[in-house]
Amino acid sequence: MLKDKVALVTGGSRGIGRAICLELAEQGAKVVVNYAGSQAAAEEVVALIKEKGGEAVAVQGDVAVYADAEKMVSATTETFGRIDILVNNAGITRDNLLIRMKEDEWDAVLNTNLKGVFNVTKAAARPMMKQRVGRIINITSVVGLMGNPGQANYVSAKAGVIGLTKSNAKELASRGITVNAVAPGYIETDMTDNLGDDVKGKLFEAIPLSRLGRPEDIANAVSFLASDRSGYITGQVLTVDGGMVM
Amino acid sequence: MSAEIMERVKNIVVDRLGVEASDVTLEASFKEDLGADSLDVVELVMELEDEFDMEISDEDAEKINTVGDVVTYIASHK
């Protein structure tokens, strides 16, 4: 489905990003696995892809820093000659009650989860505009649609990503670039393991398909949006959450 | 020098914006006379950067209005 396409996945070493890298490679894409700190995990993803006969490289870079964003995009175009797919997946949490939330907790999450999407998209838009084709998929979250106590920073960033998705979709449409968002619900990853039991309990009760999501559930949606089959879809938010938000 | 630059700029503008070569004069404004939108101008700048192997900063790019602006800029930064 993605034969010979070139993809850059930010935060590709662990969790949902890891599953996205593996799935895109499975579908035939050449993958650049970006990581901020987890080099060993990123190299493992690359090794797994190569084992199956795919092509991949790991590239370090912090999406919150514009120079790093440019670096990872140029690493992509230099290694594989182009960039067809950008998955803005990198994200962090610094959960706290509003009343207790420190300014640096707010800033860190907004810088990585929202400004990071702006940075890498801006850097990737240039080569994509020249190619007259591109797929940008932003990973947001259902909490960006419905709010969540204890996550004022994370929810604000994820809601911001939805606005950015729509704005970029309109701006880049005439150049053959589509921009969509995938909003995962409650997915089993390191990030959700850190949620408090009270938060988990409330979320779990509200899932009609009554199971947690798997990273692969998100990766499948991303791989569809990255393919030629989604050419008439742009500016949309696809929730993959077991029916939690309708 | 400027005449040669003008010729290369003209070719790119004609190709990119689909206008007649005779319309691409030094005084012609990209947006008002040549029908370019803001994104067209951004792309034009990207293509000029490749053609002349130079970098035009966002700040300078924003000041570009006419074909003459481009030719002058390239001539003085080459």
Side-chain angles (χ1 to χ4, degrees):
Chain A
M1 201 157 78
L2 301 173
K3 195 171 176 340
D4 296 327
K5 306 268 189 203
V6 174
L8 165 61
V9 181
T10 68
S13 65
R14 295 187 295 145
I16 291 173
R18 179 181 192 271
I20 291 171
C21 288
L22 296 176
E23 168 63 19
L24 295 183
E26 180 79 31
Q27 296 298 329
K30 299 166 186 171
V31 183
V32 175
V33 182
N34 158 257
Y35 65 96
S38 320
Q39 185 178 4
E43 296 293 355
E44 192 195 309
V45 175
V46 169
L48 278 171
I49 291 173
K50 285 184 173 166
E51 245 170 57
K52 290 193 167 182
E55 285 186 66
V57 288
V59 173
Q60 197 278 334
D62 180 353
V63 295
V65 179
Y66 185 69
D68 282 19
E70 275 200 321
K71 195 182 71 180
M72 58 187 86
V73 169
S74 54
T76 306
T77 53
E78 277 160 23
T79 309
F80 295 124
R82 49 189 293 121
I83 176 166
D84 300 290
I85 301 158
L86 166 63
V87 184
N88 284 303
N89 166 78
I92 58 169
T93 52
R94 295 285 183 278
D95 295 350
N96 214 338
L97 294 172
L98 172 69
I99 298 282
R100 300 232 168 84
M101 190 171 286
K102 309 279 188 301
E103 198 178 345
D104 64 341
E105 292 171 334
W106 171 271
D107 289 345
V109 170
L110 269 287
N111 282 341
T112 297
N113 297 15
L114 180 56
K115 190 181 164 193
V117 177
F118 162 76
N119 282 344
V120 187
T121 304
K122 180 179 166 177
R126 189 186 170 99
M128 282 184 178
M129 277 169 68
K130 283 194 181 175
Q131 292 166 185
R132 284 281 185 275
V133 61
R135 293 273 185 274
I136 299 172
I137 299 121
N138 298 326
I139 307 302
T140 174
S141 167
V142 286
V143 300
L145 296 165
M146 64 183 207
N148 202 24
Q151 291 199 301
N153 48 4
Y154 187 80
V155 168
S156 301
K158 291 302 190 184
V161 167
I162 292 172
L164 187 57
T165 300
K166 294 178 181 179
S167 212
N168 292 346
K170 289 189 174 178
E171 201 168 307
L172 299 171
S174 65
R175 268 59 182 174
I177 302 168
T178 66
V179 190
N180 291 290
V182 171
Y186 187 24
I187 309 296
E188 289 175 310
T189 65
D190 293 350
M191 189 185 277
T192 48
D193 282 346
N194 294 332
L195 288 178
D197 282 343
D198 49 338
V199 180
K200 271 189 191 173
K202 273 186 196 150
L203 286 173
F204 195 62
E205 277 172 25
I207 303 172
L209 287 175
S210 62
R211 70 165 173 86
L212 302 183
R214 289 181 288 263
E216 292 73 24
D217 293 319
I218 305 307
N220 289 336
V222 170
S223 130
F224 164 66
L225 289 173
S227 75
D228 292 336
R229 295 177 174 195
S230 69
Y232 198 53
I233 302 172
T234 196
Q236 302 304 305
V237 183
L238 177 54
T239 53
V240 182
D241 65 350
M244 200 159 78
V245 175
M246 292 187 195
Chain B
M1 169 90 176
S2 280
E4 186 229 319
I5 293 173
M6 178 62 180
E7 209 44 46
R8 287 162 73 188
V9 169
K10 190 182 277 187
N11 287 338
I12 289 176
V13 173
V14 166
D15 179 54
R16 171 63 65 196
L17 300 178
V19 292
E20 295 296 323
S22 56
D23 292 336
V24 188
T25 60
L26 285 173
E27 297 75 35
S29 153
F30 288 112
K31 287 189 186 166
E32 276 147 42
D33 303 317
L34 301 174
D37 64 18
S38 352
L39 211 53
D40 289 325
V41 177
V42 170
E43 285 190 314
L44 215 50
V45 167
M46 279 162 35
E47 218 164 312
L48 290 165
E49 287 179 329
D50 288 347
E51 170 75 18
F52 293 95
D53 192 25
M54 61 192 298
E55 273 204 23
I56 304 175
S57 71
D58 288 348
E59 221 176 25
D60 288 335
E62 279 164 19
K63 292 187 198 133
I64 290 172
N65 288 314
T66 66
V67 176
D69 292 343
V70 168
V71 174
T72 311
Y73 184 90
I74 294 168
S76 62
H77 288 80
K78 240 342 219 182

